[in-house]
Amino acid sequence: MGPVLLALVLAVLAWGLVVGDLVRRHSPVWHWYLVRYPATACRVVCTWRKVAQLNDLSVSRRPPRGLLGDLVVKGDPLRPVAPRISFPRATRMGLTVIVRLHAGQTPATFLKAADAFVHAWKVHAVRVTSPERGIVLLTATAMDPLQRPGLATAPAELLSALIGVLESGGAWVMNLRLVPHWLIAGATRSGKSTLLARLITQLAPQPVALVGIDCKGGMELGLFAGRLSALATCRREAVAVLSALMVDMQERMSACRSAGVRSIWELPDKLRPVPVVVIVDEIAELYLSDGTRESKAEAEQCSTLLLRLAQLGAALGLHLVVAGQRVGSDLGPGVTALRAQLGGRICHRVNDPGTAEMTLGDLNKDAVAVAQSITAEERGVAVCTSPDGGWSRARSHLTPTEEAVATARKYVAIVPELPALDSALTAPEGDDK
Ligand SMILES: Nc1ncnc2c1ncn2[C@@H]1O[C@H](COP(=O)(O)OP(=O)(O)OP(=O)(O)O)[C@@H](O)[C@H]1O
Ligand SMILES: [Mg+2]
């Protein structure tokens, strides 16, 4: 009887392991709820006192000094009490814990302890927020949802593009009506051009004029040439295109002025000019000069034109999306002023902390630290800002070259007419001949 029972137990165990592994691989969410969540929740509850004590989150109800006869004796408080926590609540791929702070405690100490929580609870990340005074919400993510991102959905809106997925599993949307101008930073091969390709693919079916400036010879944006109203592949062409847009901008201004409105969106549909999105791949190519007077003047001209476009364009339906490896003042004085105008920020993996700081630092310090932790393997992963001032880790959808070419071909018929731009790109070439 004994050996039979043993064989049976072993068989059941083996079966359990095989099924467990299958569930883990094919349905990570179920695996989380059934296996990992109970274990992690126990870990949170059992380690809480120790983690709180080690990270100075516990306080003693007694003062850290006492009287010994006539002497005041100072020391480390005995038996410090950890703040009270709720039982961890399971979420789709993580859990949340509510902490009630002791009187006088602030969320800052909990922010500092986020890494300690990650370590103690064996999870991927812990986000610390404070939804109301005296309460801290710890949101743990069990594993990186961006490793195998699914497809999110978002309502189709004019000038809005579904770029990919957020770490929360929600849709990563770039809405140019809410945030008119964007800056996309990242080291080489971090995913900037891929993101631009996704943006163009999403905007292509919309009644929007797309203008490309790709001074790396047009290799990236050239794929979309059919759908673009203009494509500048060198700085001289960029200056011509941007100058033409300035003329267009003046016309939009006078249209608004004569109709007595403050933005093109207040104009009646029939009078409203088509929105234009200017997409720049590798901003440095526009700013750097080889030292000659001519090149310097061209760079300065480019810088001024881009800045004007950003400063005045938002209300006039002129939008700017700029990608670059570096966006520091080493490119020229104008770049800092331009950066300040680009309200939407996306930061991929960066080589130097300075770039992350420049891209996200003026918005949020925590976001900088998260952007710096993106590894070379995580292509397309970025930290992006949202219109409400928050930020999130996110990953863009990869647009294969064939899809880019097919999209451009499919929507070639709906390219809006922008006469000023057509003449801008043909005129300088005509001059050369
Ligand atoms: N969201 C993504 N998902 C999967 N792979 C991606 C993603 N984004 C980028 N990649 C991969 O990374 C490679 C490099 O991306 P990309 O060309 O966009 O980088 P880049 O930042 O524009 O680089 P460079 O500065 O050299 O132009 C792509 O060929 C692609 O294979
Ligand atoms: Mg690129």
Side-chain angles (χ1 to χ4, degrees):
M1 195 62 193
V4 176
L5 194 67
L6 190 68
L8 205 69
V9 170
L10 284 178
V12 169
L13 267 179
W15 184 80
L17 281 177
V18 171
V19 171
D21 192 51
L22 273 177
V23 173
R24 184 177 60 83
R25 269 189 286 150
H26 294 286
S27 182
V29 177
W30 276 104
H31 187 258
W32 163 248
Y33 279 125
L34 295 176
V35 183
R36 284 196 63 196
Y37 163 68
T40 313
C42 288
R43 215 173 281 134
V44 171
V45 174
C46 298
T47 57
W48 178 248
R49 263 189 62 190
K50 193 161 185 194
V51 175
Q53 197 168 348
L54 286 175
N55 291 281
D56 292 332
L57 306 174
S58 304
V59 293
S60 174
R61 296 201 196 285
R62 293 180 157 192
R65 56 180 172 266
L67 274 179
L68 194 69
D70 286 344
L71 283 180
V72 176
V73 184
K74 283 187 185 174
D76 280 339
L78 283 176
R79 267 170 285 161
V81 183
R84 265 194 306 137
I85 55 168
S86 67
F87 190 77
R89 254 184 63 187
T91 58
R92 199 164 175 275
M93 272 314 253
L95 52 81
T96 56
V97 179
I98 295 170
V99 187
R100 286 178 197 288
L101 304 190
H102 287 304
Q105 266 191 322
T106 62
T109 37
F110 289 80
L111 271 171
K112 276 194 217 143
D115 278 346
F117 297 138
V118 169
H119 184 220
W121 302 348
K122 296 191 170 63
V123 289
H124 166 69
V126 173
R127 191 70 83 71
V128 180
T129 48
S130 180
E132 59 185 280
R133 206 172 299 159
I135 301 273
V136 156
L137 179 68
L138 304 177
T139 311
T141 328
M143 56 195 106
D144 190 357
L146 301 182
Q147 264 175 7
R148 290 199 315 180
L151 259 174
T153 51
E157 258 182 78
L158 182 66
L159 284 171
S160 164
L162 172 62
I163 299 296
V165 278
L166 299 173
E167 196 170 37
S168 63
W172 174 13
V173 173
M174 258 171 95
N175 188 335
L176 303 185
R177 285 294 302 278
L178 296 179
V179 182
H181 309 305
W182 286 78
L183 171 64
I184 301 165
T188 181
R189 316 247 340 126
S190 61
K192 300 181 298 295
S193 303
T194 307
L195 196 153
L196 291 182
R198 175 71 190 182
L199 176 69
I200 300 177
T201 313
Q202 287 276 297
L203 294 179
Q206 305 182 17
V208 171
L210 300 170
V211 173
I213 298 180
D214 178 2
C215 294
K216 282 183 174 174
M219 281 190 305
E220 300 283 355
L221 301 185
L223 296 178
F224 297 95
R227 176 61 183 81
L228 299 181
S229 300
L231 173 63
T233 54
C234 65
R235 192 161 56 190
R236 198 169 52 107
E237 288 179 357
V239 170
V241 166
L242 291 171
S243 307
L245 280 173
M246 287 301 124
V247 176
D248 194 60
M249 190 158 81
Q250 296 293 345
E251 282 168 15
R252 285 167 192 245
M253 276 180 188
S254 53
C256 287
R257 208 171 36 239
S258 49
V261 294
R262 289 161 61 197
S263 96
I264 63 156
W265 304 108
E266 293 171 37
L267 288 172
D269 287 352
K270 264 202 238 147
L271 291 181
R272 186 179 310 129
V274 65
V276 181
V277 182
V278 181
I279 294 158
V280 183
D281 199 352
E282 204 38 78
I283 180 88
E285 299 288 331
L286 296 180
Y287 280 81
L288 292 179
S289 81
D290 56 13
T292 60
R293 186 131 48 94
E294 200 180 81
S295 157
K296 255 189 200 161
E298 210 174 61
E300 266 172 33
Q301 208 179 348
C302 238
S303 156
T304 315
L305 289 168
L306 280 174
L307 189 58
R308 284 211 75 197
L309 190 73
Q311 276 172 343
L312 304 171
L316 302 168
L318 299 172
H319 302 272
L320 196 55
V321 180
V322 173
Q325 292 188 18
R326 281 190 53 75
V327 282
S329 52
D330 48 328
L331 295 184
V335 85
T336 322
L338 179 67
R339 203 174 66 211
Q341 293 293 329
L342 308 174
R345 304 289 175 85
I346 296 169
C347 185
H348 290 91
R349 173 180 59 83
V350 287
N351 284 332
D352 55 322
T355 303
E357 183 75 29
M358 276 175 237
T359 315
L360 302 164
D362 42 350
L363 305 173
N364 195 304
K365 295 282 172 230
D366 302 333
V368 174
V370 173
Q372 278 175 259
S373 66
I374 299 173
T375 61
E377 285 73 48
E378 297 175 293
R379 287 191 181 146
V381 172
V383 169
C384 63
T385 57
S386 56
D388 59 11
W391 59 273
S392 171
R393 258 175 103 247
R395 184 168 210 160
S396 60
H397 288 307
L398 183 64
T399 308
T401 312
E402 311 83 63
E403 192 187 329
V405 174
T407 311
R409 205 172 295 149
K410 186 169 169 193
Y411 297 106
V412 77
I414 64 156
V415 179
E417 290 282 321
L418 285 177
L421 279 179
D422 294 343
S423 49
L425 273 185
T426 45
E429 276 167 19
D431 289 346
D432 282 356
K433 277 177 198 159

